[in-house]
Each structure stands twice: as structure tokens, then as C-alpha cells.
Amino acid sequence: MTFAKMKIYNKLMMIVALVALMLSGCRKEEPSIATPEQMVLIYAINHNNLSGDLVQNERQILSAMQNLSTDKYKVLVYKYTSRNSNPALFEVTKNNGEAVFTQVKEYDKSILSVNPQRINDVIEDAIALYPNLKKDIFFWGHGNGWVNPNKYSASKEATSVDKENKLVAPQSFGGEYVDDNSTTTEYVDIDEMANAIPDNVFDAIWFDCCYMSSIEVAYQLRNKCNTYVAYPTEIMADGLPYSRVLPYVIESRDFKSAARELYLYYNDRSNPLPVTVAVMRMDKIEGLAEVSRRIFALGDVRPSTTGMQNYSRFSNAPYWDFGQYMREYIVANTSEGDALRTELKSELQSAIDNFVIYSAASDYDFNYYAKPILKENFSGLSAHNYVGGNSERETFYRKLDWFSATR
């Protein structure tokens, strides 16, 4: 090859290399897709007076997911989009880098969201989308513990029947408008709700609503999750600060820190707002039931509730602190100096400590911000003072699993 030809050849090689380099530099790298690891379902009853509060919580959810992978962490929300719309299931996705809600499925609003069948259908749809992931569920709406004090009086005899000639039972979760133009609300009974949730599917259940940290509710849901989080008192309409809580739930699986964030959100301010929360290990609840069974077997003398810590603002449906109530039950049915009294109190406290792995309470509760919550009498759980009889409330109470397990 002559010198002139060599120069031409070298120039051609340089041009080829430069073009290859340019093409390589301009090629857009394909984004990496993370393998899904976890699914969180938020089941919201927002067809009620809380609709505006869910809008705020939705912003917080999107804020939390803005910095998290929506490929790795799947967050689903069941809700109404507006008062006159159908409810739908949405998934948090990324659109040009922004976290947004993308509709997955729409549902017929002729079936209320508090209907056990609708609850089960939405859960099953979410499971079908991501069958092999670790799963948590948040229930968002109004809560009444195991009983609806607005509809059922403790003194009302159990004579009311529905169209199927069944006893009209107290209702627990929801508070959903029955139609677009009504303010009448409906709830779902806690036993029917438990039946709608499949066993051993959810790692955690979190009730972001009032009064659901009762021993009766927790025991009814004992086979539904490993970790249970709820509030023995009311919660402010703002509910959870999801932008602060979700990262702990999703990334670190640290429910104690997540619950602490809720507590600090309301309590760590110049004018603290009332707040309570408890985190429970469901694999320890049978130990608590066993001790309680031994305590109730002592006798039928009910302790005086005068001065006992009550978490409800409704005088006709008090929710007494579980730990204090059970200690007083021991005292009412044993004699001073009885070794069994000391023994059972110790076993009771040990069982509570094993079951309630985190609890926190503000200095005052929702009784018009004037009633203190005494920390020595705060267990994170509430309990009903069962007095027997044939009232609607007591008749329904006897159907609950907690009653069957401990009486």
C-alpha cells in the first residue's frame, strides 16, 4: 500500500471509529425495572364526610412514593373519585417521573363498599394482580370498635330483626353514605368483615380510623395478619401522615417506627393534639386470651368502672382500658393477700407486653381535650364491660370470638 493510500485508509478508519463512538454516546440506556417485592392495599371508605381528608392523604401517599420505586413497591388504593362516581381500584405508578394514580378497575356502586362481598372482591382483585408479594392492608374510614353506639342501646332488648329475620347486630367499620344524595351511613359488622378478609394473606393490617384497638376486634382478626396496628381512641380526621409513615412500612418493615411517626405527628407540636396508637403481634394474642380466661374463671363479680379510664366519648358505649379493667377484675374476684391475685396480675402484664409491642398516647384524649390519659393505666387496648342480659349489644357480644375464647 502506498503512503497516499495509507493516509486515506487511516482517515477512513478514524471516521468509522468516530461515527461508532457518536452512535454509542447517543444510544439511550433502557431503564432498569425492579422486581416487585411488596404490595400495600389501602381500602378507603370515602363516600362520606371524610372525602376531603382522603384527598389530603392521597397527596401524602404520592409524596411518599415519589422517592420510592413503584416497580418494586406496589401501592393500590380503593376509593371513590367523587361523590357521584363509581368506586375504583387505583395503582400508584410513575408518569414522566411523577407519582400518579392509575385506574386498574372500576366497580358498580350499587354494592356498597362496606358490603363484605365488595371488601372480599377488592382484596381478591389486588391479590390477583400481585399474587406472590408480601402484602399489607390499611382500612381507611370511620370506626366504632366492635359496636356502633349511635344505633344500638345497651338497654335495648334484643327483639329487632331484619328482613331475613336475623338479629340486628352492632356495626363496626365504614360510615358510608347509602346513596349519592343521602347522609345516612352504613357500617360492616366486625365478624362479617373478618370473614371477608382471607386468612394468612396479609402480613399487617392497619386500621386508620377510630376505636379499632379493642381486644374484641383484634381477636376477631387474629388469623388475618401477623402485625395489627390500631387506635384505642378516636383519631383526628387527618388520619395518618402517609408521607412519613409509608416509607417505614414499605422499605424497612418497621411498624413500631411507623406508629411512632403517627404519634409524633400529632403530639410533637406546640399545641399537641390527642392521639393513641398500638402495634400488636398476633402470634402472642392466644397467650393473652389464656390469661384472660383464667381471670374470668375467678368469678362473676364485675369491677366498678368508677374512675376507670374510658376511651370513648359516647357515654352509652364506653371502651375501658383493657389492662386496667382486667386488673380490677382480678381484685374484684380475689381476697386481699391471695397469692393468686399477685400471680395473675403479673401474668396479665407479661401477656400484654408480649402482645402489644409498641403503644403511645398523648396526655389527653378526645373527651373535649380535658380528660387525661394516665400512662400507668394505658395498655393500648380497650375492652367491653360485659354485664350479661339480653340487650342487643350483649347478645351480639356473646357471638364474638373473644367471648367464646375467654368465657
Side-chain angles (χ1 to χ4, degrees), residues 147-159:
V147 65
N148 184 345
N150 296 324
K151 292 184 177 179
Y152 298 94
S153 168
S155 61
K156 188 176 180 181
E157 292 302 307
T159 56

Side-chain angles (χ1 to χ4, degrees), residues 44-105:
I45 307 294
N46 68 315
H47 192 212
N48 51 30
N49 62 345
L50 296 176
S51 58
D53 298 295
L54 182 62
V55 172
Q56 175 181 309
N57 287 160
E58 286 178 306
R59 295 193 192 102
Q60 295 170 340
I61 292 167
L62 294 179
S63 176
M65 295 307 297
Q66 187 63 41
N67 299 317
L68 297 173
S69 170
T70 55
D71 295 318
K72 186 176 182 180
Y73 305 116
K74 301 298 181 180
V75 175
L76 306 175
V77 180
Y78 170 85
K79 64 187 180 74
Y80 274 80
T81 53
S82 67
R83 185 182 180 94
N84 298 312
S85 67
N86 287 325
L89 183 63
F90 296 83
E91 179 177 352
V92 178
T93 60
K94 293 283 178 66
N95 183 6
N96 293 324
E98 292 295 319
V100 296
F101 287 109
T102 301
Q103 183 170 312
V104 175
K105 181 175 181 178

